[in-house]
PDB file of all heavy atoms in Angstrom:
ATOM      1  N   ILE A   1     -42.229   8.785  15.558  1.00 96.00           N
ATOM      2  CA  ILE A   1     -42.328   7.349  15.072  1.00 96.00           C
ATOM      3  C   ILE A   1     -43.661   6.849  15.291  1.00 96.00           C
ATOM      4  O   ILE A   1     -44.367   7.173  16.320  1.00 96.00           O
ATOM      5  CB  ILE A   1     -41.159   6.429  15.664  1.00 96.00           C
ATOM      6  CG1 ILE A   1     -41.042   5.063  14.870  1.00 96.00           C
ATOM      7  CG2 ILE A   1     -41.445   6.147  17.155  1.00 96.00           C
ATOM      8  CD1 ILE A   1     -39.800   4.370  15.143  1.00 96.00           C
ATOM      9  N   GLN A   2     -44.141   5.968  14.414  1.00 94.00           N
ATOM     10  CA  GLN A   2     -45.316   5.165  14.695  1.00 94.00           C
ATOM     11  C   GLN A   2     -44.996   3.958  15.530  1.00 94.00           C
ATOM     12  O   GLN A   2     -44.213   3.125  15.159  1.00 94.00           O
ATOM     13  CB  GLN A   2     -46.065   4.744  13.460  1.00 94.00           C
ATOM     14  CG  GLN A   2     -47.369   4.039  13.713  1.00 94.00           C
ATOM     15  CD  GLN A   2     -48.171   3.538  12.565  1.00 94.00           C
ATOM     16  OE1 GLN A   2     -49.004   2.738  12.782  1.00 94.00           O
ATOM     17  NE2 GLN A   2     -47.844   3.973  11.330  1.00 94.00           N
ATOM     18  N   LEU A   3     -45.623   3.848  16.620  1.00 93.00           N
ATOM     19  CA  LEU A   3     -45.415   2.898  17.630  1.00 93.00           C
ATOM     20  C   LEU A   3     -45.577   1.418  17.169  1.00 93.00           C
ATOM     21  O   LEU A   3     -44.779   0.506  17.432  1.00 93.00           O
ATOM     22  CB  LEU A   3     -46.232   3.056  18.846  1.00 93.00           C
ATOM     23  CG  LEU A   3     -45.980   4.349  19.614  1.00 93.00           C
ATOM     24  CD1 LEU A   3     -46.927   4.572  20.770  1.00 93.00           C
ATOM     25  CD2 LEU A   3     -44.517   4.507  20.121  1.00 93.00           C
ATOM     26  N   ASP A   4     -46.444   1.141  16.270  1.00 91.00           N
ATOM     27  CA  ASP A   4     -46.668  -0.191  15.665  1.00 91.00           C
ATOM     28  C   ASP A   4     -45.539  -0.636  14.770  1.00 91.00           C
ATOM     29  O   ASP A   4     -45.436  -1.721  14.463  1.00 91.00           O
ATOM     30  CB  ASP A   4     -48.125  -0.202  14.985  1.00 91.00           C
ATOM     31  CG  ASP A   4     -49.266  -0.333  15.975  1.00 91.00           C
ATOM     32  OD1 ASP A   4     -49.024  -0.553  17.088  1.00 91.00           O
ATOM     33  OD2 ASP A   4     -50.342  -0.077  15.445  1.00 91.00           O
ATOM     34  N   LYS A   5     -44.776   0.378  14.299  1.00 94.00           N
ATOM     35  CA  LYS A   5     -43.725   0.063  13.441  1.00 94.00           C
ATOM     36  C   LYS A   5     -42.457  -0.258  14.014  1.00 94.00           C
ATOM     37  O   LYS A   5     -41.377  -0.711  13.423  1.00 94.00           O
ATOM     38  CB  LYS A   5     -43.508   1.264  12.461  1.00 94.00           C
ATOM     39  CG  LYS A   5     -44.677   1.720  11.650  1.00 94.00           C
ATOM     40  CD  LYS A   5     -45.118   0.668  10.677  1.00 94.00           C
ATOM     41  CE  LYS A   5     -46.257   1.236   9.775  1.00 94.00           C
ATOM     42  NZ  LYS A   5     -46.712   0.214   8.792  1.00 94.00           N
ATOM     43  N   ILE A   6     -42.366  -0.193  15.404  1.00 95.00           N
ATOM     44  CA  ILE A   6     -41.158  -0.458  16.104  1.00 95.00           C
ATOM     45  C   ILE A   6     -40.957  -1.966  16.083  1.00 95.00           C
ATOM     46  O   ILE A   6     -41.827  -2.733  16.591  1.00 95.00           O
ATOM     47  CB  ILE A   6     -41.175   0.095  17.554  1.00 95.00           C
ATOM     48  CG1 ILE A   6     -41.257   1.646  17.606  1.00 95.00           C
ATOM     49  CG2 ILE A   6     -40.029  -0.414  18.431  1.00 95.00           C
ATOM     50  CD1 ILE A   6     -41.445   2.254  18.932  1.00 95.00           C
ATOM     51  N   LYS A   7     -39.677  -2.392  15.690  1.00 94.00           N
ATOM     52  CA  LYS A   7     -39.357  -3.847  15.794  1.00 94.00           C
ATOM     53  C   LYS A   7     -38.582  -4.100  17.016  1.00 94.00           C
ATOM     54  O   LYS A   7     -38.732  -5.197  17.667  1.00 94.00           O
ATOM     55  CB  LYS A   7     -38.641  -4.240  14.521  1.00 94.00           C
ATOM     56  CG  LYS A   7     -39.440  -4.208  13.223  1.00 94.00           C
ATOM     57  CD  LYS A   7     -38.741  -4.771  12.018  1.00 94.00           C
ATOM     58  CE  LYS A   7     -39.628  -4.848  10.911  1.00 94.00           C
ATOM     59  NZ  LYS A   7     -38.873  -5.471   9.717  1.00 94.00           N
ATOM     60  N   SER A   8     -37.683  -3.248  17.406  1.00 95.00           N
ATOM     61  CA  SER A   8     -36.848  -3.459  18.545  1.00 95.00           C
ATOM     62  C   SER A   8     -36.165  -2.177  19.034  1.00 95.00           C
ATOM     63  O   SER A   8     -36.217  -1.192  18.261  1.00 95.00           O
ATOM     64  CB  SER A   8     -35.738  -4.487  18.261  1.00 95.00           C
ATOM     65  OG  SER A   8     -34.839  -4.061  17.291  1.00 95.00           O
ATOM     66  N   ILE A   9     -35.777  -2.188  20.245  1.00 95.00           N
ATOM     67  CA  ILE A   9     -35.125  -0.912  20.856  1.00 95.00           C
ATOM     68  C   ILE A   9     -33.791  -1.409  21.478  1.00 95.00           C
ATOM     69  O   ILE A   9     -33.768  -2.417  22.174  1.00 95.00           O
ATOM     70  CB  ILE A   9     -35.968  -0.266  21.876  1.00 95.00           C
ATOM     71  CG1 ILE A   9     -37.292   0.155  21.318  1.00 95.00           C
ATOM     72  CG2 ILE A   9     -35.210   0.964  22.520  1.00 95.00           C
ATOM     73  CD1 ILE A   9     -38.261   0.747  22.260  1.00 95.00           C
ATOM     74  N   ASP A  10     -32.637  -0.812  21.059  1.00 93.00           N
ATOM     75  CA  ASP A  10     -31.436  -1.251  21.592  1.00 93.00           C
ATOM     76  C   ASP A  10     -30.561   0.016  21.975  1.00 93.00           C
ATOM     77  O   ASP A  10     -30.253   0.778  21.024  1.00 93.00           O
ATOM     78  CB  ASP A  10     -30.633  -2.046  20.478  1.00 93.00           C
ATOM     79  CG  ASP A  10     -29.317  -2.607  21.094  1.00 93.00           C
ATOM     80  OD1 ASP A  10     -28.991  -2.437  22.213  1.00 93.00           O
ATOM     81  OD2 ASP A  10     -28.485  -3.230  20.279  1.00 93.00           O
ATOM     82  N   GLY A  11     -30.414   0.209  23.270  1.00 91.00           N
ATOM     83  CA  GLY A  11     -29.773   1.471  23.717  1.00 91.00           C
ATOM     84  C   GLY A  11     -30.467   2.619  23.250  1.00 91.00           C
ATOM     85  O   GLY A  11     -31.666   2.821  23.621  1.00 91.00           O
ATOM     86  N   ASN A  12     -29.845   3.516  22.537  1.00 94.00           N
ATOM     87  CA  ASN A  12     -30.467   4.771  22.133  1.00 94.00           C
ATOM     88  C   ASN A  12     -31.014   4.700  20.698  1.00 94.00           C
ATOM     89  O   ASN A  12     -31.214   5.759  20.036  1.00 94.00           O
ATOM     90  CB  ASN A  12     -29.466   5.963  22.162  1.00 94.00           C
ATOM     91  CG  ASN A  12     -29.055   6.252  23.620  1.00 94.00           C
ATOM     92  OD1 ASN A  12     -29.826   6.033  24.543  1.00 94.00           O
ATOM     93  ND2 ASN A  12     -27.807   6.687  23.761  1.00 94.00           N
ATOM     94  N   MET A  13     -31.261   3.614  20.202  1.00 96.00           N
ATOM     95  CA  MET A  13     -31.758   3.294  18.778  1.00 96.00           C
ATOM     96  C   MET A  13     -33.077   2.525  18.798  1.00 96.00           C
ATOM     97  O   MET A  13     -33.255   1.607  19.521  1.00 96.00           O
ATOM     98  CB  MET A  13     -30.781   2.668  17.931  1.00 96.00           C
ATOM     99  CG  MET A  13     -29.369   3.451  17.833  1.00 96.00           C
ATOM    100  SD  MET A  13     -29.586   5.094  17.036  1.00 96.00           S
ATOM    101  CE  MET A  13     -30.085   4.692  15.405  1.00 96.00           C
ATOM    102  N   ILE A  14     -33.977   3.081  17.900  1.00 96.00           N
ATOM    103  CA  ILE A  14     -35.209   2.254  17.677  1.00 96.00           C
ATOM    104  C   ILE A  14     -35.056   1.708  16.218  1.00 96.00           C
ATOM    105  O   ILE A  14     -34.789   2.431  15.312  1.00 96.00           O
ATOM    106  CB  ILE A  14     -36.367   3.199  17.761  1.00 96.00           C
ATOM    107  CG1 ILE A  14     -36.691   3.510  19.186  1.00 96.00           C
ATOM    108  CG2 ILE A  14     -37.701   2.534  17.188  1.00 96.00           C
ATOM    109  CD1 ILE A  14     -37.857   4.448  19.424  1.00 96.00           C
ATOM    110  N   TYR A  15     -35.277   0.397  16.113  1.00 96.00           N
ATOM    111  CA  TYR A  15     -35.278  -0.209  14.819  1.00 96.00           C
ATOM    112  C   TYR A  15     -36.661  -0.556  14.302  1.00 96.00           C
ATOM    113  O   TYR A  15     -37.557  -0.903  14.992  1.00 96.00           O
ATOM    114  CB  TYR A  15     -34.408  -1.547  14.949  1.00 96.00           C
ATOM    115  CG  TYR A  15     -33.019  -1.298  15.328  1.00 96.00           C
ATOM    116  CD1 TYR A  15     -32.655  -1.069  16.634  1.00 96.00           C
ATOM    117  CD2 TYR A  15     -32.051  -1.169  14.347  1.00 96.00           C
ATOM    118  CE1 TYR A  15     -31.290  -0.835  16.979  1.00 96.00           C
ATOM    119  CE2 TYR A  15     -30.679  -0.850  14.674  1.00 96.00           C
ATOM    120  CZ  TYR A  15     -30.342  -0.723  15.951  1.00 96.00           C
ATOM    121  OH  TYR A  15     -29.072  -0.482  16.203  1.00 96.00           O
ATOM    122  N   HIS A  16     -36.802  -0.245  12.932  1.00 96.00           N
ATOM    123  CA  HIS A  16     -38.119  -0.390  12.243  1.00 96.00           C
ATOM    124  C   HIS A  16     -37.724  -0.922  10.811  1.00 96.00           C
ATOM    125  O   HIS A  16     -36.570  -1.135  10.469  1.00 96.00           O
ATOM    126  CB  HIS A  16     -38.833   0.863  12.238  1.00 96.00           C
ATOM    127  CG  HIS A  16     -38.052   2.050  11.889  1.00 96.00           C
ATOM    128  ND1 HIS A  16     -37.564   2.351  10.615  1.00 96.00           N
ATOM    129  CD2 HIS A  16     -37.505   3.065  12.657  1.00 96.00           C
ATOM    130  CE1 HIS A  16     -36.924   3.438  10.564  1.00 96.00           C
ATOM    131  NE2 HIS A  16     -36.729   3.901  11.812  1.00 96.00           N
ATOM    132  N   GLU A  17     -38.818  -1.063  10.037  1.00 92.00           N
ATOM    133  CA  GLU A  17     -38.655  -1.710   8.705  1.00 92.00           C
ATOM    134  C   GLU A  17     -37.783  -0.858   7.725  1.00 92.00           C
ATOM    135  O   GLU A  17     -37.342  -1.424   6.762  1.00 92.00           O
ATOM    136  CB  GLU A  17     -40.042  -1.937   8.046  1.00 92.00           C
ATOM    137  CG  GLU A  17     -40.846  -0.680   7.864  1.00 92.00           C
ATOM    138  CD  GLU A  17     -42.314  -1.060   7.319  1.00 92.00           C
ATOM    139  OE1 GLU A  17     -43.087  -1.411   8.174  1.00 92.00           O
ATOM    140  OE2 GLU A  17     -42.505  -1.022   6.137  1.00 92.00           O
ATOM    141  N   LEU A  18     -37.644   0.430   8.038  1.00 96.00           N
ATOM    142  CA  LEU A  18     -36.788   1.224   7.202  1.00 96.00           C
ATOM    143  C   LEU A  18     -35.361   1.450   7.680  1.00 96.00           C
ATOM    144  O   LEU A  18     -34.565   2.238   7.154  1.00 96.00           O
ATOM    145  CB  LEU A  18     -37.496   2.581   7.014  1.00 96.00           C
ATOM    146  CG  LEU A  18     -38.842   2.543   6.221  1.00 96.00           C
ATOM    147  CD1 LEU A  18     -39.417   3.956   6.058  1.00 96.00           C
ATOM    148  CD2 LEU A  18     -38.662   1.850   4.865  1.00 96.00           C
ATOM    149  N   GLY A  19     -35.077   0.858   8.817  1.00 95.00           N
ATOM    150  CA  GLY A  19     -33.726   1.069   9.380  1.00 95.00           C
ATOM    151  C   GLY A  19     -33.798   1.366  10.925  1.00 95.00           C
ATOM    152  O   GLY A  19     -34.463   0.656  11.634  1.00 95.00           O
ATOM    153  N   SER A  20     -33.115   2.478  11.242  1.00 96.00           N
ATOM    154  CA  SER A  20     -33.132   2.816  12.706  1.00 96.00           C
ATOM    155  C   SER A  20     -33.262   4.274  12.856  1.00 96.00           C
ATOM    156  O   SER A  20     -32.949   5.055  11.958  1.00 96.00           O
ATOM    157  CB  SER A  20     -31.845   2.268  13.280  1.00 96.00           C
ATOM    158  OG  SER A  20     -30.727   2.942  12.709  1.00 96.00           O
ATOM    159  N   THR A  21     -33.694   4.745  13.986  1.00 96.00           N
ATOM    160  CA  THR A  21     -33.933   6.116  14.306  1.00 96.00           C
ATOM    161  C   THR A  21     -33.415   6.373  15.783  1.00 96.00           C
ATOM    162  O   THR A  21     -33.778   5.571  16.635  1.00 96.00           O
ATOM    163  CB  THR A  21     -35.507   6.467  14.165  1.00 96.00           C
ATOM    164  OG1 THR A  21     -35.951   6.130  12.931  1.00 96.00           O
ATOM    165  CG2 THR A  21     -35.642   7.975  14.460  1.00 96.00           C
ATOM    166  N   PRO A  22     -32.735   7.372  16.034  1.00 96.00           N
ATOM    167  CA  PRO A  22     -32.138   7.669  17.371  1.00 96.00           C
ATOM    168  C   PRO A  22     -33.182   8.200  18.309  1.00 96.00           C
ATOM    169  O   PRO A  22     -34.210   8.818  17.944  1.00 96.00           O
ATOM    170  CB  PRO A  22     -31.066   8.687  17.067  1.00 96.00           C
ATOM    171  CG  PRO A  22     -31.509   9.462  15.917  1.00 96.00           C
ATOM    172  CD  PRO A  22     -32.219   8.420  15.017  1.00 96.00           C
ATOM    173  N   ILE A  23     -33.017   7.890  19.632  1.00 96.00           N
ATOM    174  CA  ILE A  23     -33.841   8.413  20.667  1.00 96.00           C
ATOM    175  C   ILE A  23     -33.099   9.592  21.325  1.00 96.00           C
ATOM    176  O   ILE A  23     -31.917   9.455  21.703  1.00 96.00           O
ATOM    177  CB  ILE A  23     -34.093   7.365  21.774  1.00 96.00           C
ATOM    178  CG1 ILE A  23     -34.763   6.179  21.183  1.00 96.00           C
ATOM    179  CG2 ILE A  23     -34.958   7.874  22.933  1.00 96.00           C
ATOM    180  CD1 ILE A  23     -34.804   4.870  22.212  1.00 96.00           C
ATOM    181  N   GLY A  24     -33.610  10.724  21.380  1.00 95.00           N
ATOM    182  CA  GLY A  24     -33.125  11.878  22.048  1.00 95.00           C
ATOM    183  C   GLY A  24     -33.034  11.805  23.518  1.00 95.00           C
ATOM    184  O   GLY A  24     -33.923  11.160  24.098  1.00 95.00           O
ATOM    185  N   GLU A  25     -32.005  12.477  24.075  1.00 93.00           N
ATOM    186  CA  GLU A  25     -31.844  12.407  25.499  1.00 93.00           C
ATOM    187  C   GLU A  25     -33.072  12.795  26.355  1.00 93.00           C
ATOM    188  O   GLU A  25     -33.384  12.130  27.307  1.00 93.00           O
ATOM    189  CB  GLU A  25     -30.653  13.263  25.827  1.00 93.00           C
ATOM    190  CG  GLU A  25     -30.195  13.153  27.269  1.00 93.00           C
ATOM    191  CD  GLU A  25     -29.564  11.800  27.590  1.00 93.00           C
ATOM    192  OE1 GLU A  25     -28.972  11.186  26.601  1.00 93.00           O
ATOM    193  OE2 GLU A  25     -29.643  11.273  28.683  1.00 93.00           O
ATOM    194  N   THR A  26     -33.702  13.884  25.823  1.00 92.00           N
ATOM    195  CA  THR A  26     -34.936  14.414  26.670  1.00 92.00           C
ATOM    196  C   THR A  26     -36.103  13.525  26.349  1.00 92.00           C
ATOM    197  O   THR A  26     -37.144  13.813  27.121  1.00 92.00           O
ATOM    198  CB  THR A  26     -35.188  15.801  26.222  1.00 92.00           C
ATOM    199  OG1 THR A  26     -35.447  15.960  24.859  1.00 92.00           O
ATOM    200  CG2 THR A  26     -34.022  16.801  26.596  1.00 92.00           C
ATOM    201  N   TYR A  27     -36.107  12.562  25.531  1.00 93.00           N
ATOM    202  CA  TYR A  27     -37.235  11.734  25.229  1.00 93.00           C
ATOM    203  C   TYR A  27     -37.118  10.250  25.698  1.00 93.00           C
ATOM    204  O   TYR A  27     -38.003   9.438  25.641  1.00 93.00           O
ATOM    205  CB  TYR A  27     -37.556  11.736  23.704  1.00 93.00           C
ATOM    206  CG  TYR A  27     -37.860  13.044  23.157  1.00 93.00           C
ATOM    207  CD1 TYR A  27     -36.890  13.900  22.750  1.00 93.00           C
ATOM    208  CD2 TYR A  27     -39.175  13.461  23.118  1.00 93.00           C
ATOM    209  CE1 TYR A  27     -37.145  15.222  22.133  1.00 93.00           C
ATOM    210  CE2 TYR A  27     -39.513  14.726  22.582  1.00 93.00           C
ATOM    211  CZ  TYR A  27     -38.448  15.664  22.211  1.00 93.00           C
ATOM    212  OH  TYR A  27     -38.814  16.905  21.664  1.00 93.00           O
ATOM    213  N   LYS A  28     -36.036  10.038  26.435  1.00 92.00           N
ATOM    214  CA  LYS A  28     -35.783   8.674  26.849  1.00 92.00           C
ATOM    215  C   LYS A  28     -36.688   8.098  27.786  1.00 92.00           C
ATOM    216  O   LYS A  28     -37.250   7.027  27.812  1.00 92.00           O
ATOM    217  CB  LYS A  28     -34.345   8.542  27.511  1.00 92.00           C
ATOM    218  CG  LYS A  28     -33.266   8.531  26.506  1.00 92.00           C
ATOM    219  CD  LYS A  28     -31.855   8.381  27.281  1.00 92.00           C
ATOM    220  CE  LYS A  28     -30.768   8.317  26.170  1.00 92.00           C
ATOM    221  NZ  LYS A  28     -29.445   8.121  26.956  1.00 92.00           N
ATOM    222  N   ASN A  29     -37.137   9.015  28.762  1.00 90.00           N
ATOM    223  CA  ASN A  29     -38.114   8.643  29.837  1.00 90.00           C
ATOM    224  C   ASN A  29     -39.438   8.253  29.155  1.00 90.00           C
ATOM    225  O   ASN A  29     -40.152   7.312  29.684  1.00 90.00           O
ATOM    226  CB  ASN A  29     -38.284   9.712  30.879  1.00 90.00           C
ATOM    227  CG  ASN A  29     -37.133   9.770  31.723  1.00 90.00           C
ATOM    228  OD1 ASN A  29     -36.331   8.865  31.900  1.00 90.00           O
ATOM    229  ND2 ASN A  29     -36.888  11.026  32.317  1.00 90.00           N
ATOM    230  N   GLU A  30     -39.992   9.011  28.163  1.00 88.00           N
ATOM    231  CA  GLU A  30     -41.097   8.664  27.469  1.00 88.00           C
ATOM    232  C   GLU A  30     -41.116   7.255  26.812  1.00 88.00           C
ATOM    233  O   GLU A  30     -42.033   6.517  26.910  1.00 88.00           O
ATOM    234  CB  GLU A  30     -41.551   9.792  26.497  1.00 88.00           C
ATOM    235  CG  GLU A  30     -42.002  11.027  27.042  1.00 88.00           C
ATOM    236  CD  GLU A  30     -43.379  10.861  27.820  1.00 88.00           C
ATOM    237  OE1 GLU A  30     -44.211  10.261  27.293  1.00 88.00           O
ATOM    238  OE2 GLU A  30     -43.429  11.311  28.941  1.00 88.00           O
TER     239      GLU A  30
END
C-alpha cells in the first residue's frame, strides 16, 4: 500500500479511497 493513501486503520484492516485492504499477521509489527 502507498502510505499517503491510508485514511484509517481499524483492527486488521487499512482503509483507503478504494475501500479496504487486510493487514497480514506477519506484517502487523511493521
